[in-house]
Amino acid sequence: MRYNVTLMSDKKQLKSDLSDEVTRRKLAETELGQVQEIFRLLVDAVTDYAIFALDKEGRILTWNPGAQRLKGYTANEIIGKHFSTFYTKPDIERKHPQWELETAIENGKYEEEGWRVRKDGTQFWANVVINKLLDQNGRFIGFSKITRDLTDRMRAQQKLQESEERSRLMIQGVRDYAIFMLDPQGMVATWNEGAERIKQYSSEEIIGKSMKTFYSEEDLKAKKPEMELEVATAVGRFEDEGWRVRKDGTRFWANVIITAVRNSSGKLMGFSKITRDLTERKNAEEKLKELNDGLEKKVQDRTQELETAVKSRDEFLSLASHELKTPLTTLKLQNQLRRKTLEKQGIAPFTQEKLNKIIVDDERQVDRLTRLVDDMLDITRLNVGKLSLRKEACNLTDLTKDVIDRFMSQFEATKTEVTFEADDAIGNWDPHRIDQVVTNLITNALKYGPGKPLQIRIRNHSNKTLLEVQDHGKGIDPKDHDRIFQQFERAIHANEVSGLGLGLFIVKQIILAHGGKIWVESSLGEGSNFKVELPL
Ligand code: ADP
């Protein structure tokens, strides 16, 4: 503060100096008063801390709203009382409040955390700071005491500790998994019951030892443990299945998961390692694999045997068919010869007719036998995938007409009425094979519906032609419609109508080889309509 002083006489000067001193003191007093007031207001504004002063013996001198809130006493109730009022019985008995003050006198300050008692008898966890107070001349005049209620923080900490303890106990008690911690260098830091059971080391034996202890010589040479920690550090996690070694040197098949453990600022604190013993599963898998391999070998052997058997059968069929064809050709020629001889010789018409009937019958039997032999040959060809087509421009209508003509005597003999309606259908097909198809379908119509009307139709639809051979014979149960096109499959008993079940199979293969399709529309007793579609 600055004062303007003007020049005056000495007396005046002295008087003036005196009055200045008084003013200064008054001002200083006023300032001190103001500061004390500000300080009081400040302390009174604090509600989260109990701030109060004690005299040299520990009696309470001042009291702020924070103290009232924390401890429950008003200033009137507590000022003048000893501060040990706030202590628990055991603390008072062991003279702890006195000891605190003594320590503060000795060291200038005392700080602790502990239980304190409110007016209503409830307790709170307090952080307490006691400072020794000295006046301007360094004389000891008492203490300041600041108390904070840390009950919530303490309880949260307690809860955290309890939960950590529970987790620790839980992990400790897990017997099926080895769960333990490694430090950043891969040294074992914790150990649980499962780890002891699986790896056979007690915690005393293994804590502080390297994780390498559990690896085989080969894995150690290949630096597998180091690699695993490197991967876990880099990407956070490493998982593996492999052989690990127990204390007694035996191996077990382990599933291992290593996870890097980092603190909140990202610093690597170590690794958690979870190991499962999967030896039993591994052994079971290996047994299963052995069994499967054995089974596969058996199937292979069996397939080989079957293939050999089928090959032998086809070879036999092929050989037998060829062998049968020679006498059949001879028989056919002989029949022709017999017919010519019959015509030349002047035999009585009655006998001639009888003989002719025998020859026709013979010819029919030879034809039937020839077809069977041809079917057998076709089957052996189809089984080795040797059905080759000789395609050329072919007129289905003409071809069908020829086949019908060939059957004329049989139609007459069985009194079968035939109708034929046709578009002119020309395509690039194998005429010999298509003839075989038409012959087969008409043969079946006669075989399974002799004497019943037979309709044959050929209709063209855009770039396809549809051949239909419709009889009014026995018909076929719809459940057999697919089956009858398979090898050796029949929908009728051999005692009723004889046959091998090969004709439709061969027909279907021929049609498929031409890029066409075949199916039947029929039901039992209603006759059958076999439909063949061919590309034009
Ligand atoms: P197969 O006539 O020698 O038995 P197919 O392969 O020609 O051999 O015929 C298979 C089966 O289909 C026959 O056994 C018969 O049950 C049935 N089938 C074929 N065509 C007809 C038809 N037109 N009417 C009734 N059933 C037929």
Side-chain angles (χ1 to χ4, degrees):
M1 201 170 287
R2 287 189 60 215
Y3 300 102
N4 287 331
V5 180
T6 43
L7 267 174
M8 280 181 277
S9 65
D10 282 356
K11 207 177 165 189
K12 259 188 180 169
Q13 179 66 41
L14 188 63
K15 212 176 155 188
S16 155
D17 282 353
L18 277 173
S19 83
D20 277 357
E21 183 56 27
V22 170
T23 316
R24 219 175 286 132
R25 268 197 204 157
K26 270 194 176 157
L27 270 169
E29 272 168 20
T30 318
E31 272 177 14
L32 186 66
Q34 273 174 355
V35 168
Q36 277 175 347
E37 181 59 9
I38 287 168
F39 183 69
R40 194 186 59 76
L41 287 171
L42 188 98
V43 171
D44 278 358
V46 174
T47 52
D48 288 341
Y49 291 77
I51 305 174
F52 52 97
L54 306 176
D55 69 10
K56 287 196 274 191
E57 279 73 41
R59 279 184 297 265
I60 294 154
L61 293 172
T62 67
W63 199 239
N64 78 330
Q68 182 165 340
R69 202 179 64 81
L70 236 69
K71 311 205 187 225
Y73 297 96
T74 61
N76 282 342
E77 286 170 330
I78 201 72
I79 287 179
K81 298 254 171 69
H82 195 262
F83 84 110
S84 58
T85 316
F86 313 130
Y87 284 71
T88 60
K89 226 170 162 191
D91 275 350
I92 295 169
E93 277 165 10
R94 68 185 171 109
K95 299 200 175 2
H96 188 64
Q98 264 67 40
W99 179 81
E100 282 183 8
L101 294 187
E102 280 158 21
T103 312
I105 292 170
E106 210 174 301
N107 304 329
K109 184 180 175 181
Y110 176 78
E111 182 166 359
E112 74 155 30
E113 283 190 13
W115 289 110
R116 295 292 181 271
V117 187
R118 295 195 187 90
K119 182 185 167 191
D120 63 7
T122 56
Q123 296 194 357
F124 67 99
W125 185 260
N127 170 284
V128 181
V129 183
I130 301 175
N131 276 296
K132 180 164 92 172
L133 292 180
L134 302 175
D135 69 5
Q136 282 162 329
N137 304 319
R139 269 181 311 163
F140 165 55
I141 54 165
F143 306 91
S144 74
K145 193 170 179 223
I146 302 177
T147 305
R148 246 188 318 161
D149 181 354
L150 296 182
T151 315
D152 288 346
R153 201 195 69 184
M154 201 272 293
R155 292 234 192 279
Q157 260 172 358
Q158 234 174 14
K159 276 219 172 81
L160 191 72
Q161 267 168 9
E162 279 167 16
S163 129
E164 275 173 1
E165 182 64 5
R166 266 201 301 271
S167 304
R168 200 184 62 73
L169 285 173
M170 193 191 78
I171 290 170
Q172 187 60 36
V174 170
R175 283 182 54 77
D176 291 338
Y177 292 77
I179 305 175
F180 53 98
M181 288 289 300
L182 301 173
D183 70 12
Q185 284 70 44
M187 301 295 169
V188 176
T190 69
W191 201 240
N192 80 332
E193 246 184 87
E196 180 160 353
R197 196 181 64 82
I198 295 172
K199 308 200 187 225
Q200 300 173 336
Y201 296 94
S202 68
S203 56
E204 293 77 29
E205 283 170 322
I206 199 69
I207 285 181
K209 298 250 170 72
S210 168
M211 72 184 284
K212 291 181 186 173
T213 319
F214 315 126
Y215 290 75
S216 67
E217 283 290 325
E218 311 93 88
D219 284 350
L220 289 176
K221 264 194 208 126
K223 301 227 173 290
K224 204 158 177 227
E226 289 88 339
M227 180 275 289
E228 289 180 5
L229 291 194
E230 252 172 58
V231 175
T233 309
V235 298
R237 188 174 188 278
F238 175 84
E239 183 164 1
D240 180 39
E241 273 193 20
W243 291 109
R244 296 288 184 275
V245 187
R246 294 196 187 90
K247 184 181 161 189
D248 66 3
T250 55
R251 289 177 173 215
F252 67 99
W253 183 260
N255 170 284
V256 181
I257 299 172
I258 301 177
T259 311
V261 178
R262 294 180 183 277
N263 67 9
S264 53
S265 50
K267 189 170 175 255
L268 182 72
M269 305 302 287
F271 304 90
S272 75
K273 196 169 176 212
I274 302 179
T275 306
R276 243 186 328 159
D277 181 354
L278 297 180
T279 316
E280 271 177 32
R281 197 196 73 184
K282 177 83 177 158
N283 286 344
E285 273 174 5
E286 259 157 28
K287 272 233 164 67
L288 201 69
K289 196 173 169 299
E290 263 170 40
L291 274 174
N292 273 341
D293 288 351
L295 218 61
E296 212 163 281
K297 174 89 182 50
K298 263 194 189 140
V299 169
Q300 271 171 6
D301 291 350
R302 196 86 190 93
T303 313
Q304 181 75 41
E305 277 169 25
L306 277 172
E307 275 170 3
T308 316
V310 167
K311 215 172 146 212
S312 315
R313 186 203 65 186
D314 288 347
E315 273 168 10
F316 167 76
L317 276 178
S318 170
L319 209 73
S321 313
H322 282 296
E323 288 301 314
L324 282 170
K325 277 209 111 163
T326 324
L328 274 174
T329 319
T330 318
L331 273 177
K332 214 171 183 168
L333 285 172
Q334 274 177 1
N335 266 340
Q336 282 167 8
L337 213 68
R338 276 158 71 198
R339 189 183 284 282
K340 272 185 193 150
T341 323
L342 194 67
E343 281 161 6
K344 272 187 211 157
Q345 286 167 6
I347 301 170
F350 176 75
T351 319
Q352 202 171 19
E353 197 182 318
K354 284 260 171 192
L355 285 173
N356 192 41
K357 226 175 166 195
I358 293 172
I359 293 170
V360 168
D361 206 40
D362 276 0
E363 274 172 350
R364 204 174 289 155
Q365 297 299 341
V366 169
D367 277 352
R368 209 175 142 231
L369 214 57
T370 311
R371 264 204 309 279
L372 270 177
V373 169
D374 283 343
D375 278 0
M376 270 163 43
L377 262 174
D378 275 347
I379 285 295
T380 59
R381 284 197 198 104
L382 281 171
N383 282 344
V384 286
K386 269 201 302 208
L387 183 91
S388 57
L389 298 180
R390 282 201 204 124
K391 287 189 185 174
E392 56 187 73
C394 167
N395 188 325
L396 180 63
T397 316
D398 290 349
L399 188 148
T400 309
K401 221 183 281 162
D402 286 350
V403 180
I404 295 172
D405 286 347
R406 270 208 314 270
F407 273 92
M408 229 15 130
S409 61
Q410 283 190 59
F411 291 144
E412 279 162 13
T414 52
K415 295 199 172 60
T416 303
E417 190 191 301
V418 185
T419 55
F420 179 46
E421 294 165 33
D423 292 341
D424 225 9
I426 299 170
N428 187 33
W429 308 309
D430 180 334
H432 171 69
R433 290 298 183 187
I434 298 296
D435 184 301
Q436 206 179 336
V437 168
V438 180
T439 306
N440 211 303
L441 294 178
I442 296 180
T443 308
N444 277 353
L446 273 175
K447 199 161 139 188
Y448 298 102
K452 305 276 166 64
L454 171 63
Q455 285 114 29
I456 301 166
R457 286 179 292 269
I458 296 172
R459 290 268 171 269
N460 293 341
H461 304 277
S462 60
N463 56 350
K464 286 177 191 143
T465 187
L466 182 72
L467 162 73
E468 292 177 65
V469 179
Q470 185 173 17
D471 64 51
H472 294 80
K474 292 183 177 304
I476 306 159
D477 192 326
K479 73 172 169 34
D480 296 322
H481 286 186
D482 288 335
R483 198 168 62 80
I484 55 171
F485 291 99
Q486 290 166 21
Q487 250 182 107
F488 304 113
E489 291 290 345
R490 309 195 66 216
I492 197 161
H493 199 271
N495 291 345
E496 226 179 307
V497 184
S498 68
L500 290 178
L502 292 177
L504 287 180
F505 171 70
I506 295 165
V507 163
K508 186 170 179 178
Q509 301 312 309
I510 293 171
I511 298 301
L512 290 179
H514 278 88
K517 53 183 185 182
I518 180 168
W519 68 101
V520 62
E521 287 168 5
S522 175
S523 54
L524 271 179
E526 299 289 318
S528 314
N529 189 3
F530 280 87
K531 297 189 173 188
V532 174
E533 196 180 74
L534 281 169
L536 283 170

